[in-house]
Amino acid sequence: MTSAGLTAHRGGPLRGRVRAPGDKSISHRALIFGALASGVTEVEGLLEGEDVKRSAQAMAAFGAGVERLGEGHWRVVGQGGFAEPADVIDCGNAGTGVRLIMGAAAGFDLAATFTGDASLRGRPMNRVMKPLAEMGAVFLGRSGGRLPLTLKGGGLKRISYRLPEPSAQVKSAVLLAGLHADGGALVLEPEATRDHTERMLRGFGAVVHVEVKDGVRHIDLPGGQSLTGAHVRVPGDPSSAAFPLVAALITPGSEVTVEGVLLNPLRTGLFTTLIEMGADLVISNVRVESGEEVGDITARYSELSGVEVPAERAPSMIDEYPILAVAAAFARGATHMRGIGEMRVKESDRIALMATGLAACGIGVEEEPEGLIVVGAAQANHPARGGARVVTRGDHRIAMSHLVMGLASDQPVSVDEPGMIATSFPGFVEMMRGLGAELGESA
């Protein structure tokens, strides 16, 4: 894709069957777990976006054998641990990658320096550094816990850590550090977050005890464990599947099926919300692959209504609020999204960028410190929607969300930095064009 902008135009119905790219969260973990394990790990369906490729390069730098065998098919030969890297680890835009890798590396007697692109260098690492430091890791970095920073690992001790806010990344970093800590690690989770780390640890031979006490999840990883290479089939990413599905819901006459989508109940909050809004979403062909439930999802054009999204649902759909805001823009009435302050520390301040982009497209929107209210144009007397060039600040989800909006708006919608879409969804433009979307380059 070139550095030019992209413009989405209103066109005819979207139709077809596609497969979403591999889930990003599981792809990162498959590579990292394979490098920590002893022996061979075969991964099928790996997301080959820039973020995941950075994790693959990092695992090679820490001493694992990493080889691409074919499209989405990778082999990782682990040495049972990490060796000290010879150079700086550049994680690009991958927040999940850098936080999980820091947790994994903290368990070994090594020094490693991490950096990333401008966006990642501006994102806070303190909430991962805090528990790892309590376990015994040492950090030297910029003010505010920002990259670049250097980690000195080894000599870790067991921690019992209560997550101050829902974060699967922090939970996973602590558990990965616990693999090589004296006594392991215990994470207390008041609000359940995606549990791919717990599931995958078991798939690689580890023992993980999960128990709910007084509404709090206790995730206990006993010490003295090692991982063994495994076979991982990565399911389709529900965060990526959301874009063609919502595009079908808001474009008259459309019917789109996305095959092989991850249906982990801690990742399906968006689908639940869309159904509450009146979406015609049908899930079929449900099966289990590599310990995760997957299925095919069909979306048909629907007249949507605004809803109040429960704050406690946020951890199960935190990456999907930008595209939900687009669905809400075409609904009847207001959609209230609260308890989503986490969006302000993603690749960008996603609350602010979505509010600005929607307002530029003629949609009624109100920004809150930890929330967003979108007044659907179906009732707000805003017949002319779209017509804006949206500033994305290099955020792939902001770009894709506004492009989907342009497919059903009265006027075209452009985004300024579409190249970043490849971080999570390589092939997005080609897939959408294949369904009938009118997407073209703009100056």
Side-chain angles (χ1 to χ4, degrees):
M1 186 180 299
T2 73
S3 59
L6 266 181
T7 300
H9 299 263
R10 183 183 183 95
L14 305 178
R15 295 186 175 276
R17 299 179 69 90
V18 294
R19 185 175 181 89
D23 184 77
K24 187 160 71 164
S25 295
I26 294 177
S27 293
H28 281 300
R29 286 163 174 79
L31 293 169
I32 295 167
F33 285 39
L36 286 170
S38 295
V40 176
T41 293
E42 294 268 352
V43 186
E44 293 182 67
L46 187 86
L47 172 65
E48 294 183 332
E50 291 302 318
D51 283 6
V52 175
K53 287 180 180 178
R54 293 283 188 173
S55 286
Q57 292 164 6
M59 293 307 95
F62 280 108
V66 181
E67 181 183 6
R68 183 181 188 271
L69 303 178
E71 185 175 352
H73 186 194
W74 291 63
R75 175 182 294 143
V76 181
V77 182
Q79 306 302 319
F82 281 6
E84 187 168 87
D87 204 347
V88 173
I89 303 297
D90 187 344
C91 291
N93 191 245
T96 299
V98 70
R99 294 187 177 106
L100 268 60
I101 294 168
M102 283 198 292
F108 301 97
D109 182 16
L110 55 78
T113 299
F114 297 88
T115 190
D117 65 9
S119 171
L120 192 61
R121 292 196 304 272
R123 296 171 67 181
M125 297 294 148
N126 281 333
R127 56 184 182 171
V128 171
M129 293 163 59
K130 182 178 184 294
L132 295 180
E134 289 181 19
M135 298 175 79
V138 177
F139 293 92
L140 178 64
R142 297 166 66 213
S143 62
R146 291 174 297 153
L147 302 178
L149 63 79
T150 297
L151 157 71
K152 180 67 174 73
L156 302 189
K157 61 182 183 298
R158 179 178 173 84
I159 190 175
S160 177
Y161 191 69
R162 184 183 181 94
L163 292 177
E165 63 270 313
S167 174
Q169 293 178 359
V170 176
K171 170 180 67 175
S172 300
V174 172
L175 292 174
L176 290 175
L179 279 172
H180 297 93
D182 184 12
L186 172 66
V187 177
L188 307 179
E189 195 176 45
E191 292 184 61
T193 66
R194 55 186 67 176
D195 61 352
H196 306 310
T197 294
E198 299 96 302
R199 291 172 182 258
M200 194 173 289
L201 279 169
R202 294 190 183 107
F204 279 76
V207 174
V208 185
H209 302 294
V210 180
E211 186 178 5
V212 179
K213 301 177 184 178
D214 298 323
V216 177
R217 291 181 83 232
H218 290 59
I219 305 136
D220 190 1
L221 180 76
Q225 300 195 63
S226 58
L227 305 182
T228 303
H231 180 270
V232 180
R233 180 170 176 79
V234 180
D237 194 328
S239 301
S240 297
F243 296 105
L245 292 174
V246 169
L249 293 176
I250 65 175
T251 304
S254 297
E255 179 175 330
V256 169
T257 298
V258 184
E259 300 174 343
V261 180
L262 174 69
L263 297 177
N264 184 304
L266 296 173
R267 294 287 303 280
T268 54
L270 173 69
F271 304 141
T272 300
T273 303
L274 290 172
I275 290 170
E276 290 174 354
M277 295 173 75
D280 183 353
L281 279 183
V282 177
I283 299 174
S284 60
N285 192 24
V286 177
R287 63 269 191 197
V288 175
E289 295 178 356
S290 294
E292 295 279 6
E293 192 171 274
V294 302
D296 305 337
I297 305 179
T298 299
R300 299 178 182 87
Y301 172 72
S302 305
E303 294 186 4
L304 304 176
S305 298
V307 296
E308 179 96 26
V309 187
E312 58 269 20
R313 192 175 291 167
S316 70
M317 55 181 294
I318 194 63
D319 287 332
E320 285 80 78
Y321 281 98
I323 191 61
L324 173 62
V326 169
F330 290 86
R332 182 175 299 278
T335 295
H336 297 255
M337 296 165 260
R338 297 196 169 99
I340 58 174
E342 174 78 6
M343 284 179 65
R344 294 202 183 272
V345 293
K346 288 289 188 177
E347 283 83 338
S348 67
D349 182 340
R350 286 179 172 163
I351 294 177
L353 285 182
M354 284 307 301
T356 300
L358 291 174
C361 291
I363 301 299
V365 59
E366 181 180 344
E367 182 181 345
E368 298 179 337
E370 296 197 9
L372 189 67
I373 302 171
V374 177
V375 181
Q379 183 172 292
N381 298 318
H382 295 143
R385 297 190 300 272
R389 180 175 174 85
V390 176
V391 175
T392 64
R393 304 291 182 202
D395 190 313
H396 49 112
R397 298 198 193 282
I398 299 298
M400 287 185 283
S401 296
H402 283 97
L403 288 171
V404 167
M405 183 171 185
L407 298 177
S409 296
D410 292 337
Q411 300 173 34
V413 175
S414 300
V415 299
D416 63 344
E417 295 184 72
M420 288 300 292
I421 291 172
T423 63
S424 69
F425 200 153
F428 167 78
V429 172
E430 292 75 12
M431 173 188 287
M432 296 304 297
R433 285 174 176 162
L435 293 171
E438 294 192 15
L439 294 173
E441 288 190 3
S442 56

